[in-house]
Short mmCIF file of all heavy atoms in Angstrom, two decimals:
data_model
loop_
_atom_site.label_atom_id
_atom_site.label_comp_id
_atom_site.label_asym_id
_atom_site.label_seq_id
_atom_site.Cartn_x
_atom_site.Cartn_y
_atom_site.Cartn_z
N TYR F 25 5.98 -12.91 -4.88
CA TYR F 25 5.29 -13.70 -3.86
C TYR F 25 4.32 -14.69 -4.50
O TYR F 25 4.30 -15.86 -4.14
CB TYR F 25 4.54 -12.76 -2.89
CG TYR F 25 3.64 -13.49 -1.93
CD1 TYR F 25 4.16 -14.07 -0.78
CD2 TYR F 25 2.28 -13.63 -2.19
CE1 TYR F 25 3.34 -14.75 0.10
CE2 TYR F 25 1.45 -14.31 -1.30
CZ TYR F 25 1.99 -14.87 -0.17
OH TYR F 25 1.17 -15.55 0.69
N ARG F 26 3.53 -14.20 -5.45
CA ARG F 26 2.56 -15.07 -6.13
C ARG F 26 3.26 -16.22 -6.85
O ARG F 26 2.83 -17.37 -6.78
CB ARG F 26 1.71 -14.27 -7.11
CG ARG F 26 0.63 -15.11 -7.77
CD ARG F 26 -0.24 -14.32 -8.72
NE ARG F 26 0.57 -13.77 -9.80
CZ ARG F 26 0.48 -12.53 -10.24
NH1 ARG F 26 -0.36 -11.68 -9.70
NH2 ARG F 26 1.24 -12.12 -11.22
N THR F 29 4.57 -18.74 -4.11
CA THR F 29 3.61 -19.42 -3.24
C THR F 29 2.37 -19.93 -3.95
O THR F 29 1.60 -20.69 -3.37
CB THR F 29 3.14 -18.48 -2.12
OG1 THR F 29 2.41 -17.39 -2.71
CG2 THR F 29 4.31 -17.97 -1.29
N GLN F 30 2.17 -19.49 -5.19
CA GLN F 30 0.95 -19.81 -5.94
C GLN F 30 -0.30 -19.25 -5.25
O GLN F 30 -1.38 -19.80 -5.37
CB GLN F 30 0.81 -21.32 -6.18
CG GLN F 30 2.00 -21.95 -6.88
CD GLN F 30 2.28 -21.32 -8.24
OE1 GLN F 30 1.38 -21.15 -9.05
NE2 GLN F 30 3.52 -20.93 -8.47
N LYS F 31 -0.13 -18.16 -4.49
CA LYS F 31 -1.25 -17.51 -3.79
C LYS F 31 -1.30 -16.05 -4.21
O LYS F 31 -0.26 -15.43 -4.47
CB LYS F 31 -1.06 -17.58 -2.28
CG LYS F 31 -1.10 -18.98 -1.72
CD LYS F 31 -0.88 -18.96 -0.23
CE LYS F 31 -0.86 -20.38 0.32
NZ LYS F 31 -0.63 -20.40 1.77
N ASN F 32 -2.51 -15.49 -4.27
CA ASN F 32 -2.68 -14.08 -4.59
C ASN F 32 -2.81 -13.27 -3.31
O ASN F 32 -3.29 -13.76 -2.29
CB ASN F 32 -3.94 -13.86 -5.43
CG ASN F 32 -3.76 -14.36 -6.85
OD1 ASN F 32 -2.73 -14.14 -7.46
ND2 ASN F 32 -4.75 -15.05 -7.36
N VAL F 33 -2.40 -12.04 -3.38
CA VAL F 33 -2.57 -11.10 -2.27
C VAL F 33 -3.93 -10.44 -2.43
O VAL F 33 -4.23 -9.88 -3.48
CB VAL F 33 -1.44 -10.05 -2.27
CG1 VAL F 33 -1.69 -8.98 -1.24
CG2 VAL F 33 -0.10 -10.72 -2.03
N GLY F 34 -4.75 -10.51 -1.37
CA GLY F 34 -6.11 -9.97 -1.45
C GLY F 34 -6.20 -8.51 -1.08
O GLY F 34 -7.11 -7.80 -1.52
N SER F 35 -5.27 -8.02 -0.27
CA SER F 35 -5.24 -6.61 0.11
C SER F 35 -3.86 -6.28 0.66
O SER F 35 -3.08 -7.17 0.98
CB SER F 35 -6.32 -6.29 1.13
OG SER F 35 -6.07 -6.95 2.35
#
Side-chain angles (χ1 to χ4, degrees):
Y25 172 82
R26 184 179 61 225
T29 65
Q30 304 302 311
K31 296 179 182 179
N32 288 316
V33 173
S35 66

